[in-house]
Amino acid sequence: MRRAPRRVLARAGALAVVLGPAMASASAFQVEARTEAQAYQIRSYRQSTPSEPVLLPRRRIVQYLGLTGYELVTGQDVGFESSLRLFADLGLPRGEAAKIDGLRSEDADLLYAFVRYGVGGVEGKLGRQLYVDVADILAFDGLSVRYMSRLGVGAEVYGGLWVKGAGFLSSSVYQPDGTRESDVRRLDQGVAGADPTLTALEPLYGAKLLLENLGGVAASLGYRRAMVDGKTDIERATVEARYGRGLGLSALAGVDFDLLRRQAAQARAQVRWDGEVLAVSGEALRLSPVFSADSIWYWFAYAPRDEARVRLDVFPRGVLRYYAQAVGSRYHTVINDTLQLAKVDLSGQRSSTLGGSVGASLRRERFRSALDVTYREGYGGSQLWADLTAGYGFGEGRFTLDGRLSAARIRDGFNPLLAGNFLGTQVWASQALSRAARLSLVLENNVNPFTRWDSKVFFLFDLKASL
């Protein structure tokens, strides 16, 4: 009788061996979660004076939850990715939040959630997804399909509804700028001029021709259009190209052309050379905000910013790394006066800035440190910044302690409160509770002429598990 349990266990083990492969699934899941408790202060612009600023305490809790699934169907490239953010502002009652456009005291934002399927050279995504190119970063609810042949030539098409703040579990982070998130409050009050189309659905569609890894060259030619209430809101054409083969010469370029205004909105060109111990790069950019066609800013104040950068990175053998960078910017001040909305004379105003930065970093076993110094002068005043960071890992990195000291001398030509010396300190302590969980505490304090004295406290709990 004493041997019976052993025979039962043996039979159970044999049964598991026989049935195991048939019952096993290749599916795998990864769960990532972060909890943030935030306590900080913001300056009040009411009942406040420059000499006696009033700081309003703010207490928020934010929860991020991500779920990723791989090979949901055995033997098939089927996956799922999602990220959800929930938040609550403990110092902002719902009644007060309802009086301000786009402000919520508590809510949930579905950042992305889509099913992905790939077979051969075809990949499709269905659901809420992010899309990034030289023109913009946007989110839409819909379908995207991408095909790439073995020759490195392909195409992609996508379409759906632009994710806007007034939508279901939506955030206004990725919607076009320059308009209010919603006019529901004004419509309820019967305010003249309230716009019901701000919350209207905004269909979008686009396509790209693709070229990948053809002699080290990758390129694309794209088109995108979005419509609101039957009218074009955004219409863009993009061209991007990239060349690189590891060390040596590499280059990239991209242009975003606004088809409504018939001019380049964004542009970037970079040439870089990478060697064994140093790298040199030169870059030119044109940057413009992506405004909705319903925004007055799109037609009235559309001037872009042009910038040029030259950078040298040196990484010799050893623990030290160095860099130096020169930057020049030009802020275009052209105001559209053909609409006769206003007459603005900006002649005589300097519209360019010059400056640069130098820095060094050190990493030796458990210790790491970096020093950066930046100076800019010209349009809007002058800025001198110095940042010193240092960190150390204890017990094979299970406990880490990082600190940062920032000092700045600012002279802002537009805001007299942004003038003088600014000092900030930050301490970040983090403890690994297990291989999947980590607890962190961040303390920050700032002393400056703008807020006088303000503090921030962040508590973070990170969890990452594979199933």
Side-chain angles (χ1 to χ4, degrees):
M1 295 295 295
R2 292 180 180 178
R3 295 182 179 179
R6 294 184 180 179
R7 289 197 297 267
V8 172
L9 291 175
R11 292 173 182 174
L15 186 62
V17 170
V18 174
L19 298 182
M23 299 172 61
S25 173
S27 299
F29 297 90
Q30 182 172 288
V31 179
E32 296 185 40
R34 162 170 283 195
T35 302
E36 294 184 8
Q38 308 169 357
Y40 57 97
Q41 299 161 306
I42 57 176
R43 182 186 171 108
S44 171
Y45 287 89
R46 292 184 178 180
Q47 300 178 350
S48 177
T49 64
S51 59
E52 297 180 357
V54 175
L55 299 181
L56 303 177
R58 194 166 190 187
R59 308 290 183 262
R60 301 178 76 241
I61 185 167
V62 183
Q63 175 69 59
Y64 294 89
L65 179 62
L67 174 62
T68 304
Y70 306 93
E71 199 171 333
L72 302 181
V73 178
T74 303
Q76 300 293 324
D77 186 9
V78 182
F80 174 79
E81 297 182 32
S82 67
S83 179
L84 177 68
R85 176 178 59 198
L86 302 96
F87 64 90
D89 194 324
L90 306 182
L92 182 65
R94 291 184 180 180
E96 294 184 12
K99 299 177 182 178
I100 304 176
D101 295 320
L103 191 60
R104 299 170 290 175
S105 60
E106 56 186 34
D107 210 336
D109 296 330
L110 186 61
L111 304 180
Y112 57 86
F114 60 85
V115 177
R116 185 190 65 83
Y117 176 69
V119 57
V122 179
E123 180 184 67
K125 296 180 181 178
L126 178 63
R128 178 164 299 178
Q129 50 196 288
L130 302 180
Y131 191 88
V132 182
D133 61 11
V134 68
D136 197 6
I137 301 177
L138 61 91
F140 68 93
D141 295 328
L143 173 66
S144 65
V145 179
R146 178 187 177 97
Y147 170 74
M148 182 60 61
S149 69
R150 296 181 179 180
L151 300 177
V153 179
E156 71 175 4
V157 294
Y158 57 91
L161 298 176
W162 203 309
V163 175
K164 305 169 71 172
F168 174 71
L169 293 180
S170 298
S171 169
S172 61
V173 172
Y174 299 113
Q175 78 179 58
D177 292 328
T179 61
R180 289 187 295 273
E181 184 175 303
S182 169
D183 252 354
V184 173
R185 181 173 59 87
R186 290 177 175 82
L187 291 170
D188 292 340
Q189 296 174 354
V191 176
D195 187 0
T197 65
L198 292 179
T199 55
L201 298 179
E202 184 163 355
L204 72 89
Y205 57 89
K208 270 188 178 182
L209 298 177
L210 305 171
L211 179 68
E212 284 192 0
N213 197 24
L214 188 61
V217 176
S220 67
L221 175 64
Y223 173 81
R224 177 186 305 144
R225 187 183 187 191
M227 305 183 68
V228 175
D229 197 28
K231 301 177 182 178
T232 300
D233 188 38
I234 288 178
E235 189 173 17
R236 301 292 181 96
T238 60
V239 179
E240 298 177 79
R242 183 185 302 268
Y243 170 79
R245 286 185 169 183
L247 293 179
L249 183 66
S250 62
L252 62 87
V255 176
D256 166 31
F257 193 82
D258 188 340
L259 295 174
L260 290 181
R261 300 200 66 254
R262 298 182 180 179
Q263 68 178 31
Q266 322 278 352
R268 182 189 181 192
Q270 182 189 75
V271 178
R272 181 182 176 98
W273 184 85
D274 289 273
E276 295 289 345
V277 295
L278 62 85
V280 182
S281 64
E283 186 174 17
L285 303 100
R286 164 159 289 193
L287 305 170
S288 303
V290 181
F291 286 128
S292 165
D294 287 331
S295 170
I296 189 174
W297 304 108
Y298 180 80
W299 304 102
F300 179 60
Y302 52 81
R305 172 170 65 93
D306 294 334
E307 187 164 291
R309 305 172 185 171
V310 178
R311 179 176 173 122
L312 171 66
D313 290 271
V314 181
F315 26 87
R317 291 183 178 180
V319 296
L320 290 172
R321 301 290 185 269
Y322 310 92
Y323 82 90
Q325 178 175 255
V327 180
S329 301
R330 183 188 178 194
Y331 296 81
H332 292 262
T333 55
V334 177
I335 301 297
N336 185 3
D337 57 5
T338 59
L339 302 179
Q340 298 183 352
L341 297 175
K343 292 292 184 180
V344 181
D345 184 12
L346 295 176
S347 60
Q349 292 283 342
R350 185 178 178 183
S351 62
S352 62
T353 65
L354 293 174
S357 57
V358 294
S361 63
L362 180 149
R363 181 176 290 271
R364 175 178 291 171
E365 297 179 352
R366 301 179 182 179
F367 179 75
R368 55 194 176 274
S369 182
L371 174 64
D372 298 274
V373 178
T374 302
Y375 179 75
R376 298 287 295 266
E377 183 177 14
Y379 181 70
S382 63
Q383 303 179 29
L384 174 63
W385 290 82
D387 288 282
L388 175 63
T389 62
Y392 190 82
F394 302 84
E396 298 182 356
R398 292 185 61 84
F399 177 75
T400 59
L401 184 63
D402 292 86
R404 178 174 182 175
L405 176 63
S406 300
R409 176 70 176 175
I410 298 177
R411 180 178 58 83
D412 193 297
F414 299 105
N415 189 344
L417 295 180
L418 296 179
N421 298 321
F422 291 68
L423 181 65
T425 57
Q426 186 181 86
V427 177
W428 183 310
S430 181
Q431 173 67 51
L433 305 179
S434 67
R435 297 181 61 182
R438 178 172 286 272
L439 195 64
S440 303
L441 178 65
V442 183
L443 305 176
E444 181 178 328
N445 189 73
N446 300 288
V447 181
N448 55 71
F450 186 65
T451 60
R452 296 295 189 268
W453 181 287
D454 68 89
S455 302
K456 298 178 174 67
V457 179
F458 298 90
F459 173 84
L460 304 95
F461 176 69
D462 293 285
L463 178 65
K464 184 174 182 179
S466 298
L467 307 176

